[in-house]
Coordinates of all heavy atoms in Angstrom, one line a residue:
P43 N 88.8 54.1 35.0 CA 88.3 53.2 36.1 C 89.3 52.8 37.2 O 89.0 52.9 38.4 CB 87.8 52.0 35.3 CG 87.4 52.5 34.0 CD 88.4 53.6 33.7
V44 N 90.5 52.5 36.8 CA 91.5 52.1 37.8 C 91.9 53.3 38.6 O 92.0 53.2 39.9 CB 92.7 51.4 37.1 CG1 93.8 51.2 38.2 CG2 92.4 50.1 36.5
T45 N 92.1 54.4 38.0 CA 92.4 55.6 38.8 C 91.3 56.0 39.7 O 91.5 56.4 40.9 CB 92.7 56.8 37.8 OG1 93.8 56.4 37.0 CG2 93.1 58.1 38.6
A46 N 90.1 55.9 39.2 CA 88.9 56.2 40.1 C 88.8 55.2 41.2 O 88.5 55.6 42.4 CB 87.6 56.1 39.2
N47 N 89.1 54.0 41.0 CA 89.1 53.0 42.1 C 90.1 53.3 43.2 O 89.8 53.3 44.4 CB 89.3 51.6 41.5 CG 89.1 50.5 42.5 OD1 88.4 50.6 43.4 ND2 89.7 49.3 42.2
V48 N 91.3 53.5 42.8 CA 92.4 53.7 43.8 C 92.2 55.1 44.5 O 92.4 55.2 45.7 CB 93.8 53.6 43.2 CG1 94.0 52.2 42.7 CG2 94.1 54.6 42.1
T49 N 91.7 56.1 43.8 CA 91.4 57.4 44.4 C 90.3 57.3 45.3 O 90.3 57.9 46.4 CB 91.1 58.4 43.3 OG1 92.2 58.5 42.4 CG2 90.8 59.8 43.9
N50 N 89.3 56.5 45.0 CA 88.2 56.3 45.9 C 88.6 55.6 47.2 O 88.2 56.0 48.3 CB 87.2 55.3 45.1 CG 85.9 55.1 45.9 OD1 85.2 56.1 46.3 ND2 85.6 53.9 46.1
T51 N 89.5 54.6 47.1 CA 90.0 53.9 48.3 C 90.7 54.9 49.2 O 90.5 54.8 50.4 CB 90.9 52.8 47.9 OG1 90.2 51.8 47.1 CG2 91.5 52.1 49.1
V52 N 91.6 55.7 48.7 CA 92.3 56.7 49.5 C 91.4 57.7 50.1 O 91.5 58.0 51.3 CB 93.4 57.4 48.7 CG1 94.1 58.5 49.5 CG2 94.4 56.4 48.1
A53 N 90.4 58.2 49.4 CA 89.4 59.1 50.0 C 88.6 58.5 51.1 O 88.3 59.2 52.1 CB 88.5 59.7 48.9
L54 N 88.3 57.2 51.0 CA 87.5 56.6 52.0 C 88.2 56.3 53.3 O 87.6 55.8 54.2 CB 86.9 55.3 51.4 CG 85.8 55.5 50.3 CD1 85.3 54.1 49.8 CD2 84.7 56.4 50.7
V55 N 89.5 56.5 53.3 CA 90.2 56.5 54.6 C 89.5 57.5 55.6 O 89.4 57.2 56.8 CB 91.7 56.8 54.4 CG1 92.4 57.0 55.8 CG2 92.4 55.7 53.7
F56 N 89.1 58.6 55.1 CA 88.5 59.6 55.9 C 87.1 59.2 56.3 O 86.6 59.6 57.3 CB 88.5 61.0 55.2 CG 89.9 61.6 55.1 CD1 90.7 61.1 54.0 CD2 90.4 62.5 56.0 CE1 92.0 61.6 53.9 CE2 91.7 63.0 55.9 CZ 92.5 62.5 54.8
N57 N 86.5 58.4 55.5 CA 85.2 57.8 55.8 C 85.4 56.9 57.1 O 84.6 56.9 58.0 CB 84.7 57.0 54.7 CG 83.3 56.4 55.0 OD1 82.3 57.1 54.9 ND2 83.2 55.1 55.2
G58 N 86.5 56.2 57.1 CA 86.7 55.3 58.2 C 87.0 56.1 59.5 O 86.5 55.8 60.6
V59 N 87.7 57.2 59.4 CA 88.0 58.1 60.6 C 86.7 58.6 61.2 O 86.5 58.5 62.4 CB 89.0 59.2 60.2 CG1 89.1 60.2 61.3 CG2 90.3 58.7 59.8
G60 N 85.9 59.2 60.3 CA 84.6 59.8 60.8 C 83.7 58.7 61.3 O 83.0 58.9 62.4
S61 N 83.6 57.5 60.7 CA 82.7 56.5 61.1 C 83.1 55.9 62.5 O 82.2 55.7 63.3 CB 82.7 55.3 60.1 OG 82.3 55.8 58.8
V62 N 84.4 55.7 62.7 CA 84.8 55.2 64.0 C 84.6 56.2 65.1 O 84.2 55.9 66.2 CB 86.3 54.7 63.9 CG1 86.8 54.3 65.3 CG2 86.4 53.5 62.9
W63 N 84.9 57.4 64.8 CA 84.7 58.5 65.7 C 83.2 58.6 66.2 O 82.9 58.7 67.3 CB 85.1 59.8 65.0 CG 85.0 61.0 65.9 CD1 84.9 61.1 67.2 CD2 85.1 62.4 65.4 NE1 84.8 62.4 67.6 CE2 84.9 63.2 66.5 CE3 85.2 63.0 64.1 CZ2 84.9 64.6 66.4 CZ3 85.2 64.3 64.0 CH2 85.1 65.2 65.2
G64 N 82.3 58.5 65.2 CA 80.9 58.5 65.5 C 80.4 57.3 66.2 O 79.3 57.3 66.8
S65 N 81.1 56.1 66.1 CA 80.6 54.8 66.6 C 81.1 54.5 67.9 O 80.9 53.3 68.4 CB 81.0 53.7 65.6 OG 80.4 53.9 64.3
L66 N 81.9 55.3 68.6 CA 82.5 55.0 69.9 C 81.6 54.4 70.9 O 81.9 53.4 71.6 CB 83.3 56.2 70.4 CG 84.5 56.6 69.6 CD1 85.1 57.9 70.3 CD2 85.5 55.5 69.6
P67 N 80.3 55.0 71.1 CA 79.4 54.4 72.1 C 79.1 52.9 71.8 O 79.0 52.1 72.7 CB 78.2 55.2 72.0 CG 78.7 56.6 71.5 CD 79.8 56.2 70.5
E68 N 78.9 52.6 70.5 CA 78.5 51.2 70.2 C 79.7 50.2 70.2 O 79.5 49.0 70.1 CB 77.9 51.2 68.8 CG 76.5 51.7 68.7 CD 76.5 53.2 68.8 OE1 77.4 53.9 68.4 OE2 75.5 53.8 69.3
L69 N 80.9 50.8 70.2 CA 82.1 49.9 70.3 C 82.4 49.4 71.7 O 83.2 48.5 71.9 CB 83.3 50.7 69.7 CG 83.3 50.9 68.2 CD1 84.5 51.8 67.8 CD2 83.5 49.5 67.5
A70 N 81.8 50.0 72.7 CA 82.0 49.5 74.1 C 81.6 48.1 74.2 O 80.6 47.6 73.8 CB 81.1 50.4 75.0
G71 N 82.6 47.3 74.8 CA 82.4 45.9 75.0 C 82.7 45.0 73.8 O 82.6 43.8 73.9
Q72 N 83.2 45.6 72.7 CA 83.5 44.8 71.5 C 85.1 44.8 71.3 O 85.5 44.4 70.2 CB 82.9 45.5 70.3 CG 81.4 45.4 70.3 CD 80.8 45.6 68.9 OE1 80.8 44.7 68.1 NE2 80.2 46.8 68.6
R73 N 85.8 45.2 72.2 CA 87.3 45.3 72.1 C 87.9 44.0 71.6 O 88.7 44.0 70.7 CB 87.9 45.8 73.4 CG 89.4 45.9 73.3 CD 90.0 46.3 74.7 NE 91.4 46.3 74.7 CZ 92.1 47.4 74.4 NH1 91.5 48.6 74.1 NH2 93.5 47.4 74.4
A74 N 87.6 42.9 72.3 CA 88.2 41.6 72.1 C 87.9 41.2 70.6 O 88.7 40.7 69.9 CB 87.7 40.6 73.1
T75 N 86.6 41.3 70.2 CA 86.2 40.9 68.9 C 86.9 41.7 67.8 O 87.4 41.1 66.9 CB 84.6 41.0 68.8 OG1 84.0 40.2 69.7 CG2 84.2 40.6 67.4
V76 N 86.9 43.0 68.0 CA 87.5 43.8 67.0 C 89.0 43.6 66.9 O 89.5 43.5 65.8 CB 87.2 45.3 67.3 CG1 88.0 46.2 66.4 CG2 85.7 45.6 67.1
L77 N 89.7 43.5 68.0 CA 91.1 43.3 68.0 C 91.5 41.9 67.4 O 92.5 41.8 66.8 CB 91.7 43.4 69.4 CG 91.7 44.8 70.0 CD1 92.3 44.7 71.4 CD2 92.5 45.7 69.1
R78 N 90.6 40.9 67.5 CA 90.8 39.6 66.9 C 90.7 39.7 65.4 O 91.5 39.0 64.6 CB 89.8 38.6 67.4 CG 90.1 37.2 66.9 CD 89.1 36.2 67.5 NE 87.8 36.4 67.0 CZ 86.7 36.8 67.7 NH1 86.9 37.1 69.0 NH2 85.5 36.9 67.1
L79 N 89.9 40.6 64.9 CA 89.6 40.6 63.4 C 90.4 41.7 62.7 O 90.6 41.6 61.5 CB 88.1 40.9 63.2 CG 87.2 39.8 63.7 CD1 85.7 40.2 63.5 CD2 87.4 38.5 62.9
V80 N 90.9 42.7 63.4 CA 91.7 43.8 62.8 C 92.9 43.3 62.0 O 93.2 43.7 60.9 CB 92.0 44.9 63.8 CG1 93.3 45.7 63.4 CG2 90.8 45.8 64.0
P81 N 93.8 42.4 62.6 CA 94.9 41.9 61.8 C 94.5 41.2 60.5 O 95.2 41.4 59.5 CB 95.6 40.9 62.8 CG 95.2 41.3 64.2 CD 93.8 41.8 64.0
L82 N 93.4 40.5 60.5 CA 93.0 39.8 59.3 C 92.5 40.9 58.3 O 92.8 40.7 57.1 CB 91.8 38.9 59.6 CG 92.1 37.7 60.5 CD1 90.8 37.0 60.9 CD2 93.1 36.7 59.8
A83 N 91.9 42.0 58.8 CA 91.5 43.0 57.9 C 92.7 43.7 57.3 O 92.7 44.0 56.1 CB 90.7 44.1 58.7
A84 N 93.8 43.9 58.0 CA 95.0 44.5 57.5 C 95.6 43.7 56.4 O 96.0 44.1 55.4 CB 96.0 44.8 58.6
V85 N 95.8 42.4 56.7 CA 96.3 41.5 55.8 C 95.5 41.4 54.5 O 96.0 41.5 53.4 CB 96.5 40.0 56.4 CG1 96.9 39.0 55.3 CG2 97.5 40.0 57.5
G86 N 94.2 41.3 54.6 CA 93.3 41.3 53.5 C 93.4 42.6 52.7 O 93.4 42.5 51.4
G87 N 93.5 43.7 53.3 CA 93.5 45.0 52.6 C 94.8 45.1 51.7 O 94.8 45.5 50.6
V88 N 95.9 44.7 52.3 CA 97.2 44.7 51.6 C 97.1 43.7 50.4 O 97.5 44.0 49.3 CB 98.4 44.4 52.5 CG1 99.7 44.1 51.7 CG2 98.6 45.5 53.5
A89 N 96.6 42.5 50.7 CA 96.6 41.5 49.6 C 95.7 41.9 48.5 O 96.0 41.7 47.3 CB 96.0 40.2 50.2
G90 N 94.5 42.6 48.8 CA 93.7 43.0 47.7 C 94.3 44.1 46.9 O 94.1 44.2 45.7
A91 N 95.0 45.1 47.6 CA 95.7 46.1 46.9 C 96.7 45.6 45.9 O 96.8 46.0 44.8 CB 96.3 47.1 47.9
V92 N 97.5 44.7 46.4 CA 98.6 44.0 45.6 C 97.9 43.3 44.4 O 98.4 43.4 43.3 CB 99.5 43.1 46.4 CG1 100.4 42.3 45.5 CG2 100.2 43.9 47.5
L93 N 96.8 42.6 44.7 CA 96.1 41.9 43.6 C 95.6 42.9 42.5 O 95.8 42.6 41.3 CB 94.9 41.1 44.2 CG 94.2 40.2 43.3 CD1 95.1 39.0 42.9 CD2 93.0 39.6 44.1
L94 N 95.1 44.0 42.9 CA 94.6 45.0 42.0 C 95.7 45.5 41.1 O 95.5 45.7 39.9 CB 94.0 46.2 42.7 CG 93.5 47.3 41.8 CD1 92.4 46.9 40.9 CD2 93.1 48.5 42.6
L95 N 96.9 45.7 41.7 CA 98.0 46.2 40.9 C 98.7 45.1 40.1 O 99.6 45.4 39.3 CB 99.0 46.8 41.8 CG 98.5 48.1 42.6 CD1 99.6 48.6 43.6 CD2 98.0 49.1 41.7
S96 N 98.3 43.8 40.2 CA 99.0 42.7 39.6 C 98.3 42.1 38.4 O 98.9 41.6 37.5 CB 99.3 41.6 40.6 OG 100.1 42.1 41.7
I97 N 96.9 42.1 38.5 CA 96.1 41.4 37.5 C 95.0 42.2 37.0 O 94.6 43.2 37.7 CB 95.6 40.0 38.1 CG1 94.6 40.3 39.2 CG2 96.7 39.1 38.6 CD1 93.9 39.0 39.7

Side-chain angles (χ1 to χ4, degrees):
V44 172
T45 301
N47 188 24
V48 298
T49 302
N50 185 54
T51 297
V52 175
L54 291 182
V55 170
F56 292 83
N57 184 75
V59 172
S61 298
V62 174
W63 182 15
S65 297
L66 291 177
E68 287 75 30
L69 287 170
Q72 298 199 74
R73 180 185 178 89
T75 299
V76 170
L77 288 180
R78 184 178 71 246
L79 296 175
V80 157
L82 296 171
V85 171
V88 170
V92 171
L93 188 64
L94 175 66
L95 299 177
S96 302
I97 65 172

